[in-house]
Amino acid sequence: MRSAPYTGSTISSAIWILKMIFLVILHLAGDALIRASSPKPNFVLMLADDLGIGDIGCYGNTTIRTPNIDKLANDGVKLTQHIAAARLCTPSRAAFMTGRYAVRSGMYSCGEARVIHWLGSSGGLPPNETTFASILQQQGYSTGIIGKWHLGMNCESLNDHCHHPLNHGFDYFYGMPLTLLNECQPGGLLQIDVPFRAQLTLLTQIMAFAVVTLVIARYSNMVAINWKIIFYSALLVILFFITWYLKYGFLHYWSCIIMRNNEIIEQPMNLERTAPQMLNEVLQFIDRNKDTPFLLIVSFLHVHIPLITTKAFMGKSKHGRYGDNVEEMDFMVGSVVNAIDNAGLKNNTMIYFTSDHGGHLEANDGKLQTGGWNGIYRGGKGMAGWEGGIRVPGIVRWPGIILSDVKIDEPTSLMDIFPTVVHLGGGELPKDRIFLVILHLAGDALIRASNPKPNFVLMLADDLGIGDIGCYGNTTIRTPNIDKLANDGVKLTQHIAAAPLCTPSRAAFMTGRYALRSGMDSCGGARAIKWLGSPGGLPPNETTFASILQKQGYSTGIIGKWHLGMNCESLNDHCHHPLNHGFHYFYGTPFTLINECQLGGLLEIEVSFRAQLTLLTQIMAFAVMTLVIARYSNMVAINWKIIFYSALLVILFFITWYLKYGFIQYWSCIIMRNHEIIEQPMNIEEMATQMLRELQHFIDRNKDTPFLLIVSFLHVHVPLITTKAFTGKSEHGLYGDNVQEMDFMVGSVVNAIDNAGLKNNTMIYFASDHGGHLEVKDGKFQTGGWNGIYRGGKGMAGWEGGIRVPGIVRWPGIIPSDVKIDEPTSLMDIYPTVVHLGGGELPKDRIIDGRNLMPLLTREALHSEHEFLFHYCGTQLHAVRWHQKESGAIWKAHYMTPVFFPEGAIGCYNTKVCGCEGDHVDHHDPPLLFELLADPSESKPLDARVDPQYKSVLSRIKMAVTEHQKTISVVPQQFSFFNNLWRPWLQPCCGTFPFCWCDKEDHNVAGLMG
């Protein structure tokens, strides 16, 4: 049975970090040279406890002195997006040791006990988990861990030590099997189960008071009660007290112990001696093993409370006891590094420094904070979503192998250490763990082994509303083929278009970037390409996913609508044409369907401006006629030449604008095959059948090679041209007929894939470019789409109805069937997804806003990688969506909303498409805030004055907007007035302009539809 193809985050992250390490090895020489010169490198891995990323000089702290850690960073690589796999000690360390999320080994919980609380409990790192220490031990390494363990001790008997370090691949252990606690310091603040202990104390006092009351009452003869009852009651109180006090009153003895290997050598530990003893053990281990390859984990007790610091460092920092403790740890780091260097091991030892998670913000001693600082990052220890809880220092030094003074701004994880040291130490990753990941979590390895070049069929509807499809809630329009596609795959319920209009949305889809990054969005009169004879379009320097797959050996084709421009400077330069953007084959319209494509149809393009031109022409003609009459009647003495040239001026004025608007059917409604115009004007009644024929031919031609096929439907854009086989068949008039015809075409494409034997090797995707068009009507009848429960529609970037679209993905054997995913995703995500699956690499020179969907589709990841999505109307930011993953909430803040007309309407019926700025929008200060899971219709904004969450949510969104806007660069605007101005010399023409007409199409398409 075939499984889903995506590795866990651990393996993909590991591949990345290995790449970064070896990228710089002796000028890209590769690991062969490493193994020749250093077959068994040493590893010193230093792990701080509760250290905040903002507590170190090289990460921005200017007051706490950390010269040794700073030097380590200067001599090696500093990772700026180094992420802990969990936000608390035990699960983070379990993930670090195993290279797997802690939930995979059962080392995670959402209850009160999220870490190991007691040495006398049976929980811990399971004996069947494989640590990197155990793999290196088998490779002949001496392995040791000195310091904190905190991954359990015994399972069933006192000395079985099933969770002990020596049972997990270490030859030597010195340190605490648990962790530092406040209770380790006599007289310190309580830490463990404090509220429960207070309840036990209060209950004991109440019970004792009751017994004393009984004694007094008995002595005073107030009650007649047997002394035996009083005695046993007192005994019960004493036994109750002893029972719980034995547990909590001697924590100092139970938890605060030091072991060497399997022997307890201090109980309770002497806190003041622990740091010097640890350092001494580290130095002795290095000295003992300097002639053999070794792995040494230095697991600091610093900077966990109670912040025990030796006298040499007390009072030396500007940040009280916490600063003292950090500076003492820095000294120990320097001592370890010096020991390595002095032993002559510098060039053969990889040294790594990090923290197990973020600093503990809530730790305090009275008014003084005794926890760490996480710099600019929000949150801290215990908070899995906020960066402050999981972003940690990450420093790697290996002279001669890794470059010095390098900063890497790519996401990495503590879990990456597992595959890194295993690989460098000559070991192999566990096969059972890899297969577990591959078979159940769908990894890259399986995809590329069984499907090295999967096919992609990406279907994009035009103006389709999310409420128009059966699987998204419509009960009257019949869409059985699309519904079956969803049943056989994954349905995305929060699939978001990057723009609410055709051209910018398609530009974002093709490039994986917000359209304004490429200049493909505007707030002016033109928010989409209006003319084939204008120079605006998708810039030649933009990289589409088609161009990347083309380089990977794919046959690439797009059939249907393009609408991303044609020429730049000359008639046939085709700089914006599909064949200049990574496609081998194009059949369809380089523009879009418009009402003018249908003879006698309603006008669509610049209707009000054309009316003004007509009126002006009539006024000018009337003026000339008036002059003629006045001249004949001798009312005015005017030269006939003036009248002649005035009439000529009117005629030339009329010809000028009528040449542009009167022949739109010829200028805009054309069909091309590759670079050749084959129909001008297009026969729109046959377009659907011709498209279907081309689709089937493309699949048949390329069934033996990997291919990318974009099916860019002309459905369901006005004028809703539908073949006779589907006309009058739906309950929703012409619009419903058009949707049902498109559904038939979807089924035909899927059947062509399946009948060609490509079903299991083809990813099929279906979506719409944006929401349905509410304002389009034919008389009283609406001819646009329905967006279900969602407010707004096409042209509205903030309201859900304009941007929430269907999203369906099918890939049998790889993606599970009949699954619904309620996580935010974007049309831009298709870019990195198909590039990754097709074996390509994302461009390094630009920001890609999309995210790889495969972890989500295969259910390896439970959450979308999108935390924020930005909803632009033209170049104006109308709204921002925040996925608050720790709570599951989806917040959306509206800064501007369109002004509907007439008042009380649901759209902009005066302009047909809502504007983005000026008088066309209402500005909201404070912004409107909705929680979309509770209020998907966006009808009840939170009250900014009384809702307790409003301020914190808006504050976080504001921070995200600030960071996002820093990434926006100024680029040439493709929709500027001049770039969207019709230029006759750029107008595609299959004859001699202006006599543009041809029909080279094969019209033998009978039997394809219906």
Side-chain angles (χ1 to χ4, degrees):
M1 180 176 135
R2 209 155 150 213
S3 57
Y6 199 83
T7 52
S9 316
T10 306
I11 293 178
S12 58
S13 296
I15 292 170
W16 182 88
I17 198 169
L18 285 171
K19 181 198 253 180
M20 294 307 299
I21 290 174
F22 292 116
L23 188 68
V24 294
I25 294 176
L26 296 180
H27 306 287
L28 310 178
D31 32 343
L33 187 55
I34 288 188
R35 295 192 176 185
S37 59
S38 304
K40 296 290 185 181
N42 306 309
F43 304 101
V44 176
L45 314 178
M46 295 185 277
L47 196 65
D49 196 3
D50 291 16
L51 178 71
I53 193 171
D55 292 325
I56 305 175
C58 58
Y59 281 89
N61 195 300
T62 57
T63 52
I64 297 179
R65 299 184 300 273
T66 55
N68 295 294
I69 298 173
D70 298 347
K71 186 177 187 303
L72 197 66
N74 189 66
D75 293 344
V77 167
K78 181 176 73 170
L79 306 171
T80 63
Q81 294 190 56
H82 202 43
I83 307 300
R87 80 273 196 217
L88 287 174
C89 305
T90 299
S92 175
R93 291 163 185 267
F96 172 72
M97 293 300 303
T98 63
R100 293 147 47 86
Y101 288 108
V103 69
R104 299 195 193 282
S105 57
M107 293 292 285
Y108 206 77
S109 170
C110 288
E112 289 185 7
R114 291 182 290 171
V115 297
I116 293 175
H117 274 177
W118 303 94
L119 267 182
S121 63
S122 59
L125 189 63
N128 64 348
E129 280 295 319
T130 302
T131 67
F132 57 77
S134 62
I135 297 176
L136 293 189
Q137 192 179 52
Q138 293 170 4
Q139 294 298 313
Y141 275 72
S142 295
T143 56
I145 178 170
I146 295 172
K148 167 177 172 172
W149 175 240
H150 207 186
L151 293 175
M153 178 66 80
N154 299 311
C155 288
E156 298 177 350
S157 61
L158 179 60
N159 292 315
D160 66 19
H161 289 185
C162 67
H163 306 305
H164 190 280
L166 269 62
N167 202 43
H168 277 295
F170 292 95
D171 300 310
Y172 184 76
F173 169 58
Y174 177 92
M176 288 190 73
L178 194 65
T179 184
L180 270 186
L181 305 169
N182 276 331
E183 285 84 350
C184 292
Q185 185 179 29
L189 297 171
L190 301 182
Q191 179 179 346
I192 301 298
D193 295 349
V194 177
F196 183 56
R197 290 158 78 173
Q199 293 171 4
L200 291 173
T201 301
L202 178 61
L203 182 57
T204 304
Q205 292 170 340
I206 291 170
M207 293 169 65
F209 180 77
V211 171
V212 172
T213 301
L214 286 177
V215 171
I216 294 172
R218 177 68 179 80
Y219 266 110
S220 59
N221 295 317
M222 292 175 64
V223 293
I225 188 170
N226 194 304
W227 281 106
K228 284 186 178 181
I229 294 175
I230 295 175
F231 171 78
Y232 286 116
S233 297
L235 184 61
L236 177 64
V237 173
I238 293 169
L239 290 174
F240 175 74
F241 171 74
I242 290 173
T243 301
W244 70 260
Y245 193 77
L246 185 66
K247 177 179 181 180
Y248 291 109
F250 296 88
L251 267 176
H252 183 48
Y253 289 84
W254 306 150
S255 299
C256 308
I257 69 175
I258 295 291
M259 297 186 73
R260 177 178 282 113
N261 296 329
N262 289 315
E263 181 186 5
I264 299 173
I265 57 174
E266 277 190 6
Q267 188 173 14
M269 62 195 285
N270 185 322
L271 287 180
E272 287 71 25
R273 289 202 307 250
T274 301
Q277 288 171 341
M278 263 191 66
L279 185 55
N280 183 58
E281 288 287 336
V282 169
L283 301 181
Q284 288 186 19
F285 182 93
I286 294 170
D287 187 62
R288 284 198 307 272
N289 295 282
K290 62 185 177 183
D291 297 324
T292 59
F294 65 82
L295 161 71
L296 171 61
I297 296 181
V298 183
S299 183
F300 292 106
L301 305 183
H302 303 65
V303 286
H304 198 291
I305 53 175
L307 301 175
I308 301 301
T309 310
T310 58
K311 291 181 180 179
F313 290 91
M314 288 178 62
K316 295 297 176 68
S317 83
K318 298 180 182 179
H319 286 279
R321 284 193 297 136
Y322 184 84
D324 297 345
N325 208 238
V326 173
E327 293 186 3
E328 182 177 71
M329 180 186 66
D330 177 77
F331 169 81
M332 295 175 70
V333 168
S335 299
V336 173
V337 174
N338 290 337
I340 291 293
D341 295 354
N342 294 336
L345 305 175
K346 181 176 182 177
N347 294 329
N348 195 34
T349 301
M350 188 182 91
I351 298 179
Y352 167 76
F353 176 85
T354 191
S355 177
D356 56 358
H357 48 69
H360 196 180
L361 303 180
E362 297 88 354
N364 62 78
D365 185 358
K367 294 182 179 180
L368 301 177
Q369 183 180 345
T370 54
W373 180 52
N374 300 311
I376 63 172
Y377 304 109
R378 192 173 185 182
K381 176 179 179 178
M383 306 177 204
W386 295 121
E387 286 294 285
I390 52 175
R391 190 180 290 218
V392 294
I395 298 170
V396 188
R397 189 200 82 164
W398 192 353
I401 304 298
I402 294 176
L403 294 177
S404 62
D405 199 19
V406 170
K407 182 177 73 170
I408 294 178
D409 297 323
E410 293 288 315
T412 55
S413 169
L414 268 71
M415 296 185 290
D416 298 340
I417 291 301
F418 185 106
T420 303
V421 301
V422 166
H423 177 81
L424 294 172
E428 292 184 359
L429 295 178
K431 296 293 191 298
D432 59 331
R433 298 302 189 271
I434 291 177
F435 290 144
L436 181 67
V437 170
I438 288 177
L439 294 176
H440 298 289
L441 299 175
D444 287 355
L446 185 58
I447 275 196
R448 297 190 177 180
S450 58
N451 298 305
K453 297 289 184 182
N455 306 308
F456 304 103
V457 175
L458 312 178
M459 296 185 277
L460 201 62
D462 196 6
D463 289 16
L464 179 71
I466 193 171
D468 292 326
I469 306 176
C471 57
Y472 281 89
N474 195 300
T475 57
T476 52
I477 297 180
R478 297 186 300 275
T479 55
N481 295 294
I482 297 173
D483 298 345
K484 185 177 188 303
L485 198 66
N487 189 66
D488 292 345
V490 167
K491 181 177 73 171
L492 305 170
T493 63
Q494 295 191 55
H495 201 42
I496 307 299
L501 283 178
C502 305
T503 300
S505 175
R506 290 163 185 267
F509 172 74
M510 292 301 301
T511 64
R513 294 149 48 81
Y514 290 108
L516 80 165
R517 296 195 190 278
S518 56
M520 292 291 284
D521 215 341
S522 169
C523 284
R527 292 166 53 197
I529 291 174
K530 284 189 173 181
W531 303 97
L532 268 180
S534 64
L538 189 63
N541 64 351
E542 282 295 320
T543 302
T544 67
F545 58 79
S547 63
I548 297 176
L549 292 189
Q550 193 179 57
K551 294 176 182 176
Q552 294 299 314
Y554 274 74
S555 295
T556 56
I558 178 169
I559 295 173
K561 166 177 173 172
W562 176 240
H563 208 187
L564 293 174
M566 177 64 78
N567 298 310
C568 288
E569 297 177 350
S570 62
L571 179 59
N572 293 313
D573 67 25
H574 288 185
C575 67
H576 304 306
H577 189 279
L579 269 60
N580 201 42
H581 276 296
F583 292 97
H584 293 112
Y585 186 76
F586 169 59
Y587 177 90
T589 172
F591 193 51
T592 182
L593 268 188
I594 51 177
N595 277 329
E596 285 83 352
C597 292
Q598 184 179 33
L599 285 175
L602 297 171
L603 300 182
E604 180 179 348
I605 301 298
E606 298 181 356
V607 178
S608 59
F609 184 53
R610 290 157 78 172
Q612 294 170 6
L613 291 172
T614 302
L615 178 61
L616 181 58
T617 304
Q618 291 169 341
I619 293 171
M620 293 169 66
F622 181 76
V624 171
M625 291 297 295
T626 302
L627 287 176
V628 171
I629 293 170
R631 177 67 178 84
Y632 267 109
S633 61
N634 293 317
M635 293 174 63
V636 293
I638 188 169
N639 193 306
W640 281 106
K641 284 186 177 180
I642 295 176
I643 296 175
F644 172 77
Y645 285 116
S646 296
L648 184 61
L649 176 64
V650 174
I651 294 169
L652 290 175
F653 176 72
F654 172 73
I655 291 173
T656 300
W657 71 260
Y658 194 77
L659 184 67
K660 176 179 180 181
Y661 293 108
F663 296 89
I664 285 183
Q665 185 188 22
Y666 288 83
W667 308 149
S668 299
C669 307
I670 70 176
I671 296 295
M672 298 185 75
R673 178 177 282 113
N674 297 328
H675 290 295
E676 182 186 11
I677 299 172
I678 57 174
E679 277 190 1
Q680 189 171 11
M682 63 195 285
N683 184 332
I684 56 176
E685 283 75 18
E686 290 186 355
M687 188 57 200
T689 49
Q690 289 169 348
M691 265 189 66
L692 191 54
R693 177 197 61 199
E694 289 289 331
L695 290 167
Q696 293 175 345
H697 285 175
F698 182 91
I699 293 169
D700 188 61
R701 285 197 308 270
N702 294 283
K703 62 185 178 183
D704 297 323
T705 58
F707 64 81
L708 161 71
L709 172 60
I710 296 181
V711 184
S712 184
F713 292 106
L714 305 185
H715 303 65
V716 287
H717 199 290
V718 290
L720 302 175
I721 301 302
T722 310
T723 58
K724 290 181 181 179
F726 290 91
T727 301
K729 295 298 177 66
S730 83
E731 299 178 23
H732 285 279
L734 192 55
Y735 183 83
D737 297 345
N738 207 240
V739 173
Q740 292 185 181
E741 180 175 78
M742 179 187 67
D743 177 77
F744 172 81
M745 295 177 71
V746 169
S748 299
V749 172
V750 174
N751 289 338
I753 291 294
D754 295 354
N755 293 337
L758 304 174
K759 180 176 182 177
N760 294 330
N761 195 34
T762 302
M763 187 180 90
I764 298 178
Y765 167 77
F766 177 86
S768 177
D769 55 356
H770 48 69
H773 197 176
L774 303 179
E775 294 93 346
V776 289
K777 290 185 174 182
D778 187 352
K780 294 182 179 180
F781 298 101
Q782 182 181 345
T783 53
W786 180 53
N787 299 310
I789 64 173
Y790 304 110
R791 190 174 184 181
K794 176 178 178 177
M796 308 177 207
W799 297 123
E800 286 292 282
I803 52 177
R804 191 181 290 218
V805 296
I808 298 170
V809 188
R810 189 200 83 164
W811 191 355
I814 303 299
I815 293 173
S817 62
D818 199 19
V819 169
K820 182 178 72 169
I821 294 178
D822 298 322
E823 294 285 309
T825 55
S826 170
L827 266 71
M828 297 185 292
D829 297 340
I830 291 302
Y831 187 106
T833 303
V834 301
V835 166
H836 174 77
L837 293 172
E841 291 187 1
L842 297 179
K844 300 290 194 300
D845 61 342
R846 63 201 64 200
I847 293 172
I848 301 298
D849 297 299
R851 298 292 181 265
N852 187 352
L853 284 173
M854 286 308 292
L856 197 62
L857 295 175
T858 57
R859 310 310 290 144
E860 174 199 345
L862 298 179
H863 294 297
S864 163
E865 289 188 38
H866 290 290
E867 184 178 8
F868 293 94
L869 286 169
F870 302 91
H871 306 309
Y872 282 93
C873 185
T875 55
Q876 297 294 319
L877 184 62
H878 273 212
V880 178
R881 177 186 312 256
W882 175 32
H883 184 200
Q884 191 178 15
K885 296 179 184 179
E886 62 269 24
S887 68
I890 308 244
W891 302 100
K892 189 158 76 167
H894 289 259
Y895 298 98
M896 306 178 205
T897 53
V899 176
F900 292 157
F901 183 89
E903 188 174 349
I906 60 172
C908 304
Y909 290 91
N910 54 336
T911 57
K912 302 303 181 186
V913 175
C914 293
C916 296
E917 59 185 357
D919 295 337
H920 298 289
V921 298
D922 285 327
H923 294 262
H924 301 288
D925 188 12
L928 301 178
L929 182 64
F930 300 92
E931 203 290 291
L932 294 179
L933 296 183
D935 183 19
S937 301
E938 298 174 284
S939 58
K940 300 174 183 178
L942 275 67
D943 192 327
R945 297 166 299 177
V946 299
D947 196 288
Q949 297 184 88
Y950 184 93
K951 186 176 180 180
S952 62
V953 170
L954 258 295
S955 174
R956 181 66 186 96
I957 291 176
K958 183 178 179 181
M959 289 172 57
V961 170
T962 300
E963 291 302 311
H964 167 70
Q965 289 177 337
K966 291 178 183 177
T967 70
I968 304 299
S969 304
V970 177
V971 295
Q973 295 300 302
Q974 298 299 317
F975 302 156
S976 65
F977 175 78
F978 290 104
N979 276 340
N980 226 338
L981 192 65
W982 183 63
R983 304 181 188 186
W985 59 90
L986 294 182
Q987 175 61 50
C989 180
C990 64
T992 301
F993 185 85
F995 305 103
C996 302
W997 181 93
C998 64
D999 186 356
K1000 307 174 186 177
E1001 183 60 280
D1002 176 6
H1003 296 282
N1004 182 21
V1005 289
L1008 283 175
M1009 300 297 290

